[in-house]
Amino acid sequence: MSAEYVTEPVAKPKRKISVFDFFYKYGTVLKIFVIMIIFSIATPNFLTGENISDILRSISIVTLIALGVTISLTVNGLDLSVGSTAGLATILSASMLVLHRQEIAVAIIVPIIASLLIGLVNAFLVVKVKIPDILATLSMMFIVQGILLTYTKGSAIYTNMPLLSGDRAPGIFIPSFLALGQGHFLGIPVPVIIMLLTVLLVHIVLSYTKFGRFFYVTGGNIEAARLSGVPVNRYRMYAYMFSGLLAGIGGVVLAARIGVGEVNAGSPFLMDAVAATYIGFSVFGAGKPNVFGTLIGSILIGVLLNGLTMLNVPYYMQDIIKGAVLAGALALTYYRSKQTSTAV
């Protein structure tokens, strides 16, 4: 009679979560709560419903622009022209309304088409001409900025503005357009609704569709993706076009919020958008550009800047703090990446 040996299944050792891993995954969310507690103690008006609404309204534009940066990063690129593209959309919306007396549809469609064209030119420079993405989009940033200064001659576009002919501008910022940036629906600011719907849509596309996953495949290893049959150049083109599109939407909402076309209105959003995107890499340990992480990064920046403003911290010191937050996010991300590659 042969003996039968029953082997017990060997339990795999559980991987201990280090302190670094914990803070890498949950540190951003914890920072938001800690900062909110500190500011609520420092100023009693911080946690009021009105101020929370202001924070959400302020991050809506940053988030829309940052989503464009996020998509460009999925293909291992980086679009630095998003701030200027948003500024272009702002100027075009104002121009359509104030100088050309157009209705809301034209004031939205024209800027978005122009923003898509900027994305297409970026894609051509990066994919076809093979200029490094940072240099190509940086060049485009200066080109767009120069075009705006030439078109506006450095002045803003606003209701009842004087023209060179001596007359006044014939159009106005119509109420239906202003509602996109200043209105409310069921008590929720319209820009926040636009932001949340866009976040949801982009998240679904990138996370749950074959089309969206191909962006990550392209950015992960472009040669392997090409050998697998993925049309990598086409997806890189899509990434820059979507980046321009989202920056354009952010610019339209910005124009509706401030009710004026400012040449440099979009420029300050570049740093915030890039910071929000890179902060999002670490949220819940994603380790890659992701929509939900970008939203959390925008919230962190929005809460931080709102609290500093309420405490009357000078704007130049706010830039120092934003730069430090971005440097910390980059250090955390690249240190984690180095750890992962070493472990493999």
Side-chain angles (χ1 to χ4, degrees), residues 28-175:
T28 303
V29 178
L30 289 174
K31 281 179 192 174
I32 293 173
F33 282 111
V34 170
I35 291 171
M36 290 182 71
I37 291 171
I38 292 172
F39 284 143
S40 63
I41 294 172
T43 171
N45 295 324
F46 181 78
L47 280 182
T48 61
E50 183 179 356
N51 192 52
I52 297 298
S53 178
D54 287 341
I55 292 174
L56 292 175
R57 190 185 293 107
S58 68
I59 70 166
S60 60
I61 298 167
V62 174
T63 304
L64 289 169
I65 297 173
L67 288 177
V69 178
T70 302
I71 294 179
S72 70
L73 283 170
T74 61
V75 296
N76 201 27
L78 179 59
D79 188 356
L80 294 180
S81 67
V82 289
S84 294
T85 303
L88 173 70
T90 302
I91 289 293
L92 285 177
S93 288
S95 179
M96 292 301 106
L97 293 168
V98 175
L99 300 181
H100 301 287
R101 297 189 64 184
Q102 298 298 316
E103 295 300 322
I104 184 172
V106 177
I108 294 173
I109 293 172
V110 170
I112 286 179
I113 291 175
S115 300
L116 278 169
L117 289 175
I118 295 298
L120 189 59
V121 173
N122 279 333
F124 174 77
L125 294 175
V126 173
V127 177
K128 295 297 183 182
V129 185
K130 300 189 184 303
I131 300 174
D133 53 281
I134 293 178
L135 297 180
T137 57
L138 187 64
S139 300
M140 185 55 59
M141 179 183 77
F142 288 119
I143 290 171
V144 173
Q145 200 70 14
I147 291 173
L148 293 180
L149 286 169
T150 303
Y151 175 69
T152 63
K153 295 179 175 55
S155 63
I157 299 176
Y158 53 91
T159 298
N160 204 34
M161 66 178 288
L163 303 176
L164 293 177
S165 62
D167 297 328
R168 294 283 176 174
I172 63 170
F173 275 84
I174 57 179

Side-chain angles (χ1 to χ4, degrees), residues 32 55-56 59 63 276 294-304:
I32 293 173
I55 292 174
L56 292 175
I59 70 166
T63 304
T294 296
L295 175 61
I296 296 298
S298 295
I299 293 172
L300 173 60
I301 293 173
V303 168
L304 187 62

Side-chain angles (χ1 to χ4, degrees), residues 119-323:
L120 189 59
V121 173
N122 279 333
F124 174 77
L125 294 175
V126 173
V127 177
K128 295 297 183 182
V129 185
K130 300 189 184 303
I131 300 174
D133 53 281
I134 293 178
L135 297 180
T137 57
L138 187 64
S139 300
M140 185 55 59
M141 179 183 77
F142 288 119
I143 290 171
V144 173
Q145 200 70 14
I147 291 173
L148 293 180
L149 286 169
T150 303
Y151 175 69
T152 63
K153 295 179 175 55
S155 63
I157 299 176
Y158 53 91
T159 298
N160 204 34
M161 66 178 288
L163 303 176
L164 293 177
S165 62
D167 297 328
R168 294 283 176 174
I172 63 170
F173 275 84
I174 57 179
S176 58
F177 181 81
L178 292 175
L180 295 174
Q182 303 174 13
H184 291 76
F185 180 74
L186 299 177
I188 304 173
V190 173
V192 177
I193 296 173
I194 295 172
M195 175 191 71
L196 293 177
L197 289 176
T198 307
V199 164
L200 181 62
L201 177 61
V202 177
H203 174 70
I204 290 172
V205 170
L206 288 181
S207 301
Y208 299 106
T209 68
K210 180 180 177 181
F211 177 76
R213 286 193 291 270
F214 276 176
F215 284 100
Y216 286 111
V217 172
T218 299
N221 189 322
I222 192 169
E223 287 303 321
R226 183 181 286 112
L227 293 173
S228 300
V230 178
V232 292
N233 285 342
R234 188 188 306 168
Y235 275 86
R236 292 170 74 197
M237 180 190 73
Y238 290 155
Y240 284 103
M241 289 185 68
F242 284 132
S243 179
L245 170 66
L246 289 162
I249 294 173
V252 171
V253 175
L254 176 60
R257 181 184 170 195
I258 62 179
V260 65
E262 287 280 358
V263 175
N264 295 314
S267 299
F269 290 96
L270 172 60
M271 183 177 175
D272 291 354
V274 172
T277 304
Y278 276 102
I279 289 169
F281 272 52
S282 64
V283 173
F284 299 140
K288 63 181 181 181
N290 66 98
V291 173
F292 185 67
T294 296
L295 175 61
I296 296 298
S298 295
I299 293 172
L300 173 60
I301 293 173
V303 168
L304 187 62
L305 295 184
N306 179 271
L308 292 173
T309 301
M310 294 187 74
L311 292 176
N312 295 318
V313 175
Y315 71 92
Y316 45 83
M317 288 189 66
Q318 294 182 19
D319 285 343
I320 295 172
I321 294 170
K322 280 194 293 186

Side-chain angles (χ1 to χ4, degrees), residues 15-35:
R15 182 177 176 273
K16 293 182 179 179
I17 299 178
S18 66
V19 174
F20 174 81
D21 287 338
F22 177 82
F23 281 104
Y24 178 77
K25 291 181 178 181
Y26 309 110
T28 303
V29 178
L30 289 174
K31 281 179 192 174
I32 293 173
F33 282 111
V34 170
I35 291 171

